[in-house]
Amino acid sequence: MTKYVYDFSEGNKDMKDLLGGKGANLAEMTNMGLPVPHGFTISTEGCLTYLAEGGHPPGLLEEVDAHLKALESSMGKTLGDASDPLLVSVRSGAKFSMPGMMDTVLNLGLNDTSVGGLAEQSGGDLRFARDAYRRFIQMFGKIVMDVPAEAFEHALDEAKAAKGPATQDTDLDADELAALIERFLAIYRDETGEGFPSDPKEQLRLSIEAVFKSWNGKRARDYRRQNKISDDLGTAVNVVAMVFGNRGDDSGTGVAFTRDPSTGEKVPYGDYLANAQGEDVVAGIRNTLPLARLEELDPQSYTGLRDVMQTLESHYRDMCDIEFTIEKGRLWILQTRVGKRTAFGEWVMANEMLQEGLIDEDTALLRVDANRLEELFKRRVEADGAKAIAKGLNASPGAATGAVVFSADEAERWAKDDDTKVILVRRETTPDDYHGMIAAQGILTSAGGTNSHAAVVARGEGIPAVCGADAIKIDLDARAFSANGTVVREGDTVTIDGFTGNVYVGELPLADSVLEKARQGDAEAQAQPIWQAFEQLMRTADDRRRLRVRANADTPDQSSNARARGAEGIGLCRTEHMFLGSERVAAVQQMIFAESDEEEQAAFDALLPLQRGDFVGIFRAMDGLPVTVRLLDPPLHEFLPDLTTLSVEVALGQERGEDVSAKEAVLAKVRQLHETNPMLGLRGVRLGIVKPGLYAMQVRAIVEAACEVRKDGGDPKVEIMIPLVATRPELQQMRDELEPVAREIFQREGVELSHLEWGTMVELPRAAVTAGEIAESADFFSFGTNDLTQTAFGFSRDDIGKFVATYEERKLVPTNPFVSIDLPGVGRLMRIASDEGRAANPKLHLGICGEHGGDPASVLFCHELGLDYVSCSPFRIETARLAAGQAAVGEFASATA
Ligand code: ADP
Ligand code: MG
Ligand code: MG
């Protein structure tokens, strides 16, 4: 028969699956000889069977009975005994800590008679016994019987108010408590329609069932969804002999952390509340004292606690948080676990524990979360009591302040022409707003969630954003918004806090990140523990990782920035930005409109020197490191005015009798180039094929630039990448056309490069499944996982914002597949491509250049796939280096319970 119940002495910390985190750690501490009250744990299996079968599995209650007997005999008391009662707590505890989600009943075993026994047992302290009883009725009513908590709280408040202003719960005397108990029992009867159960065994059985059921409560389920915790774990139930912190001023209860969880400093940290029980500390019933004050109040217990803290930290080799209670000067430990900490704290702690010799380098590396690294480089708002006018979702971390603008065009204009810092305020954003979003310091939307277009773009670009601040009502005609009565006009300054979601009027001071300052050479910042930690752990990551990390960078500036952050080359240099900018637009339009080969050639001739200049700058910035240049990818209409806007302009002009012939000519071309489905239209290699001189011009610019840098003594390493290939012949024909162009220049210039390769992006399912063929024509593959995800799912990347939240909610996708690689689908395609590609061409080298290259979970997958490098935006380089190091060390730090 299955065993469902375990005495604390039978378990250990590795049995979290079965005993839950709380139970496993209570068992561990019991076996370490720490002062833990006796007790036992009913396993998660018991819970799951109970929930599946709608009742207790056979044998479970008998086992509970047997363990209760053992507990009674070890304590020398009987549960709920009239003269000397044993009291217990019934506590939930799942594998992962779910704070506040599952509930606990204290003082179980009390009833109208045993309350007298408890008083006697505690030297006639009636006040204490009645306080314990009223708490029990309150918790049992609320947790087990769903009596509204306010009913009890209201009665308690009334009792306090009746006594006089500023009365605290501890001020109520024994008689007042007796009256309160009567009130509570009446509330219980009114709300449940039955009397309070006086039989301790029945109290216990009902409480165990309530804890089991709370696993499926709404709050618990919501929390699990939010935190991606599985629904099939179940909770354990811990039955623990009560100790009392509410027995006067020499008693109390508190929580302690072995290090400061927010700064990571090695100082004791926590709260203490004298003459209190359990939840009082967190419930904020009275003001708690900082833990250090316990040293004055009760030096002996304080020393004992410090010893336990030390013992636990050495044992768990990590920062622990602890719940303790002092009963009449005697210390009891009621819970411990590896404590939660801030992104900042985890770095400092990991490094200091490494320096202290508590953990080794690999462990220290796994202690920090690559997903949170970016936050540490962001500025923060120093709100200093300033009042927010609205609060939205913290959609993208960081702080920003600037002038309010309401359209993307305005944002771009103000930022570029007037050099003004702007905050783009919109109801929602769309792909058409992109140019304004990246020109803004921050983005604020009144609708949309953390997966809205605004949020996704902002995170992708590292721009602070607050989304879905629904108090904000935008009035576009008035060029203003209002929020909770405050009116903010275009041009007014606001400050947004992407960490908290707060929105403020005016310019609040922003605190620079210590790490950012240190990275820029600030000596004071470099002396801080966080920088020491950063340098140390990044060194370890670089030392361990097998993946190289490159950047996606399009300009010389971005390239040198990326190199400073440790990029080992460029994995994606997009050339479309080289077709933008006022001086170039004319030539690009000339190229698009050319009616003869001569006209087209003239346009290419105009563009060539401009592009060459860009490449020279990039090759210099990345001297000695590989640079993958992608030939033109987007459809040509992106370089022309928008169809609708232009149509309107022409129509209006005609109405006014103006000469619109030039605009009409453009409009005709725009119509001709218009595509129903541009993502799947004339773009990528298809452009190269239908517009023969285009790629040749680009290759000429690249190779001439490389020759120039080479002649200056540089060492450009060039990789030319042809996008959106679906078949081998596409790639081969392009190479046949382009390689002679390059050869001719090398001959003319008398230059050779140390590295010149030709390859393709693998970003279409067909390319992935025929990779074996394509690899015969390629020196390298780079996975373009944005398009690959788009084409594998048939999800438009620009429109997924409309439904991805629903998909995640319903668990149709585990996460947004544009953020983390979809392993079974897109990942499988990548595996096929890399296996078959390598088999066909052993020299083939492989990388990834989609947004996923900076996502830790995707980096882990790329590591497992054995790619040569990942490439990501410059500000994700450190994240990728860290994640690659962690992947090599073998596993991600698993969530600690
Ligand atoms: P949570 O998971 O919400 O922290 P717990 O089961 O740890 O819930 O209990 C809530 C509070 O009651 C904590 O402060 C805990 O220390 C206290 N508590 C639990 N069991 C006992 C006990 N046997 N004696 C005294 N206090 C207890
Ligand atoms: Mg607890
Ligand atoms: Mg692509």
Side-chain angles (χ1 to χ4, degrees):
M1 215 159 75
T2 323
K3 173 177 166 71
Y4 290 114
V5 185
Y6 294 78
D7 189 83
F8 287 168
S9 61
E10 294 176 289
N12 64 58
K13 69 175 170 26
D14 301 320
M15 292 170 72
K16 292 198 181 91
D17 282 325
L18 198 61
L19 302 181
K22 200 179 285 171
N25 288 321
L26 281 168
E28 184 80 11
M29 289 194 292
T30 300
N31 292 324
M32 287 167 72
L34 296 178
V36 176
H38 289 287
F40 55 87
T41 305
I42 309 169
S43 73
T44 54
E45 265 173 34
C47 169
L48 292 173
T49 316
Y50 175 91
L51 292 174
E53 290 172 8
H56 288 294
L60 187 143
L61 288 178
E62 290 77 3
E63 258 189 88
V64 169
D65 237 26
H67 280 268
L68 183 62
K69 287 230 166 59
L71 181 61
E72 286 172 338
S73 72
S74 82
M75 304 295 292
K77 297 171 194 248
T78 309
L79 185 69
D81 182 80
S83 60
D84 185 14
L86 168 67
L87 303 184
V88 296
S89 62
V90 176
R91 317 166 66 187
S92 63
K95 175 172 182 184
F96 300 108
S97 91
M98 296 171 49
M101 291 299 122
M102 318 283 294
D103 285 309
T104 295
V105 179
L106 300 180
N107 308 334
L108 188 141
L110 284 174
N111 53 31
D112 289 344
T113 29
S114 61
V115 68
L118 180 63
E120 224 164 280
Q121 186 194 105
S122 46
D125 190 346
L126 256 181
R127 203 214 84 84
F128 152 70
R130 288 180 182 160
D131 182 54
Y133 189 25
R134 72 92 188 155
R135 287 169 187 269
F136 173 50
I137 303 166
Q138 190 171 353
M139 278 184 268
F140 187 92
K142 175 178 131 200
I143 294 156
V144 182
M145 302 303 290
D146 282 329
V147 176
E150 308 82 64
F152 293 120
E153 278 155 22
H154 185 68
L156 177 59
D157 287 342
E158 273 180 356
K160 288 194 281 189
K163 179 146 198 188
T167 305
Q168 301 202 317
D169 59 318
T170 38
D171 298 330
L172 297 177
D173 63 27
D175 290 343
E176 286 152 349
L177 285 167
L180 188 60
I181 288 169
E182 288 313 313
R183 271 296 291 133
F184 276 13
L185 288 173
I187 290 171
Y188 185 95
R189 199 173 306 114
D190 288 349
E191 294 285 343
T192 64
E194 32 189 281
F196 191 78
S198 56
D199 173 9
K201 288 261 171 74
E202 191 190 347
Q203 295 170 351
L204 181 60
R205 187 175 49 78
L206 290 170
S207 301
I208 292 171
E209 280 176 27
V211 174
F212 281 166
K213 286 189 202 145
S214 75
W215 176 254
N216 279 337
K218 181 169 164 19
R219 272 194 313 161
R221 274 186 323 203
D222 289 349
Y223 182 88
R224 290 201 292 273
R225 181 165 310 140
Q226 191 73 29
N227 291 277
K228 304 215 184 301
I229 295 174
S230 159
D231 282 333
D232 351 290
L233 300 172
T235 179
V237 183
N238 302 287
V239 177
V240 189
M242 282 304 302
V243 293
F244 300 97
N246 51 338
R247 285 190 62 186
D249 287 334
D250 55 355
S251 304
T253 182
V255 293
F257 290 78
T258 57
R259 304 191 184 215
D260 184 330
S262 85
T263 64
E265 263 180 293
K266 193 176 184 184
V267 291
Y269 177 97
D271 299 296
Y272 181 72
L273 191 57
N275 197 7
Q277 196 176 28
E279 313 283 17
D280 294 358
V281 176
V282 261
I285 279 195
R286 277 175 280 142
N287 287 338
T288 56
L289 299 175
L291 185 65
R293 291 284 301 282
L294 180 60
E295 185 163 23
E296 303 151 32
L297 296 176
D298 182 350
Q300 202 191 328
S301 298
Y302 185 71
T303 311
L305 180 63
R306 292 296 306 271
D307 286 348
V308 171
M309 288 163 77
Q310 180 62 47
T311 306
L312 284 172
E313 200 179 87
S314 330
H315 185 79
Y316 283 86
R317 296 177 187 276
D318 205 343
M319 185 264 272
C320 296
D321 74 31
I322 298 162
E323 289 177 2
F324 66 94
T325 282
I326 297 171
E327 180 175 351
K328 296 238 159 255
R330 175 147 184 213
L331 175 70
W332 294 96
I333 307 298
L334 290 163
Q335 186 179 325
T336 194
R337 69 188 156 196
V338 169
K340 295 209 159 67
R341 58 207 75 182
T342 62
F344 190 97
E346 74 187 356
W347 281 81
V348 172
M349 268 180 220
N351 184 45
E352 293 189 351
M353 289 182 197
L354 170 65
Q355 305 307 329
E356 290 158 22
L358 193 62
I359 55 177
D360 62 18
E361 286 193 355
D362 285 355
T363 308
L365 182 61
L366 292 175
R367 286 280 171 87
V368 295
D369 182 352
N371 287 300
R372 298 205 291 184
L373 173 56
E374 228 177 286
E375 288 177 23
L376 298 180
F377 287 95
K378 304 285 177 167
R379 292 184 300 182
R380 287 178 180 269
V381 175
E382 292 188 317
D384 249 343
K387 211 169 132 25
I389 55 162
K391 186 173 171 76
L393 302 164
N394 50 347
S396 177
T401 175
V404 167
V405 291
F406 293 104
S407 80
D409 289 343
E410 295 284 298
E412 189 179 51
R413 194 156 44 241
W414 291 39
K416 289 234 171 86
D417 300 351
D418 308 333
D419 217 10
T420 306
K421 293 185 160 52
V422 300
I423 304 289
L424 176 61
V425 183
R426 307 274 298 162
R427 199 182 115 70
E428 281 177 299
T429 61
T430 70
D432 291 338
D433 295 322
Y434 181 77
H435 61 291
M437 300 171 77
I438 55 171
Q441 299 292 308
I443 297 164
L444 168 61
T445 68
S446 60
T450 47
N451 269 311
S452 60
H453 178 265
V456 171
V457 170
R459 283 196 299 271
E461 299 291 336
I463 304 168
V466 171
C467 291
D470 51 16
I472 288 181
K473 309 285 180 232
I474 301 175
D475 182 347
L476 283 180
D477 294 330
R479 292 171 168 257
F481 73 77
S482 66
N484 298 314
T486 307
V487 175
V488 178
R489 294 178 198 289
E490 184 181 73
D492 289 355
T493 303
V494 295
T495 301
I496 62 168
D497 186 337
F499 285 106
T500 59
N502 281 333
V503 181
Y504 303 91
V505 174
E507 180 173 348
L508 264 58
L510 305 185
D512 282 332
S513 129
V514 178
L515 274 190
E516 188 58 52
K517 280 200 282 192
R519 180 159 62 188
Q520 284 165 16
D522 180 310
E524 207 179 307
Q526 287 180 349
Q528 302 282 320
I530 182 71
W531 178 251
Q532 317 286 321
F534 183 71
E535 287 220 300
Q536 169 63 49
L537 298 187
M538 289 307 288
R539 213 163 32 236
T540 310
D542 287 338
D543 179 61
R544 303 292 194 270
R545 71 187 157 88
R546 287 208 307 269
L547 280 170
R548 300 206 151 255
V549 175
R550 299 194 195 179
N552 298 348
D554 306 338
T555 63
D557 265 3
Q558 287 177 357
S559 307
S560 31
N561 176 6
R563 192 166 191 165
R565 290 167 180 239
E568 298 161 299
I570 293 180
L572 177 64
C573 170
R574 304 180 196 87
T575 52
E576 45 267 33
H577 297 143
M578 298 178 185
F579 286 81
L580 299 171
S582 43
E583 32 162 12
R584 303 179 183 199
V585 165
V588 172
Q589 297 207 350
Q590 191 190 353
M591 170 188 91
I592 297 174
F593 285 86
E595 301 203 323
S596 66
D597 291 353
E598 291 74 36
E599 274 178 42
E600 191 172 61
Q601 194 54 50
F604 290 150
D605 290 346
L607 284 167
L608 177 82
L610 299 171
Q611 299 224 330
R612 186 173 53 216
D614 295 330
F615 290 127
V616 167
I618 292 169
F619 291 144
R620 289 220 166 101
M622 279 290 162
D623 192 39
L625 297 172
V627 175
T628 309
V629 182
R630 178 177 73 182
L631 301 184
L632 194 68
D633 181 53
L636 291 180
H637 71 78
E638 287 197 8
F639 301 101
L640 295 179
D642 172 66
L643 176 62
T644 321
T645 319
L646 196 58
S647 307
V648 171
E649 278 175 24
V650 168
L652 285 177
Q654 280 168 339
E655 220 166 90
R656 289 193 213 106
E658 293 163 10
D659 176 13
V660 287
S661 52
K663 279 191 175 163
E664 276 175 327
V666 179
L667 180 60
K669 195 72 193 180
V670 172
R671 284 224 172 88
Q672 185 199 329
L673 289 177
H674 179 74
E675 293 176 316
T676 318
N677 224 334
M679 278 296 181
L680 305 176
L682 179 55
R683 55 175 286 226
V685 67
R686 303 158 201 171
L687 263 183
I689 287 168
V690 262
K691 244 186 163 358
L694 175 62
Y695 278 8
M697 179 275 288
Q698 289 200 290
V699 167
R700 205 165 281 132
I702 295 166
V703 173
E704 287 182 2
C707 287
E708 188 179 328
V709 174
R710 185 76 174 151
K711 279 189 194 161
D712 288 348
D715 179 20
K717 295 188 185 305
V718 181
E719 299 176 355
I720 297 177
M721 178 156 78
I722 299 180
L724 217 72
V725 161
T727 72
R728 179 183 176 194
E730 284 175 322
L731 177 60
Q732 189 56 51
Q733 280 191 21
M734 284 287 95
R735 283 191 72 158
D736 291 345
E737 267 176 42
L738 300 173
E739 279 183 279
V741 173
R743 262 199 304 275
E744 196 196 320
I745 297 165
F746 290 132
Q747 265 162 16
R748 188 184 74 209
E749 302 291 324
V751 166
E752 271 180 47
L753 299 185
S754 64
H755 182 87
L756 174 68
E757 291 190 339
W758 301 81
T760 183
M761 294 187 69
V762 174
E763 51 186 338
L764 294 172
R766 193 188 187 286
V769 296
T770 60
E773 286 173 30
I774 297 175
E776 290 179 23
S777 292
D779 302 322
F780 66 87
F781 283 170
S782 175
F783 288 104
T785 45
N786 301 339
D787 267 310
L788 191 58
T789 302
Q790 177 158 258
T791 49
F793 276 97
F795 283 167
S796 157
R797 186 184 176 206
D798 294 325
D799 302 307
I800 191 178
K802 296 198 176 111
F803 58 88
V804 71
T806 313
Y807 262 56
E808 285 190 61
E809 178 101 338
R810 295 216 199 156
K811 300 194 170 157
L812 297 170
V813 289
T815 49
N816 181 339
F818 288 99
V819 173
S820 283
I821 292 175
D822 153 60
L823 298 184
V826 175
R828 178 113 193 273
L829 287 169
M830 291 172 71
R831 190 175 293 281
I832 293 170
S834 79
D835 289 353
E836 298 187 5
R838 281 197 163 125
N841 174 3
K843 285 206 213 122
L844 188 77
H845 74 90
L846 294 149
I848 175 177
C849 64
E851 291 297 322
H852 300 95
D855 165 61
S858 307
V859 170
L860 174 63
F861 175 68
C862 293
H863 168 89
E864 286 168 1
L865 211 53
L867 300 193
D868 297 291
Y869 68 87
V870 296
S871 186
C872 57
S873 20
F875 62 86
R876 290 253 171 87
I877 300 276
E878 283 109 342
T879 300
R881 284 163 57 202
L882 177 64
Q886 291 178 328
V889 166
E891 47 176 337
F892 275 108
S894 58
T896 35

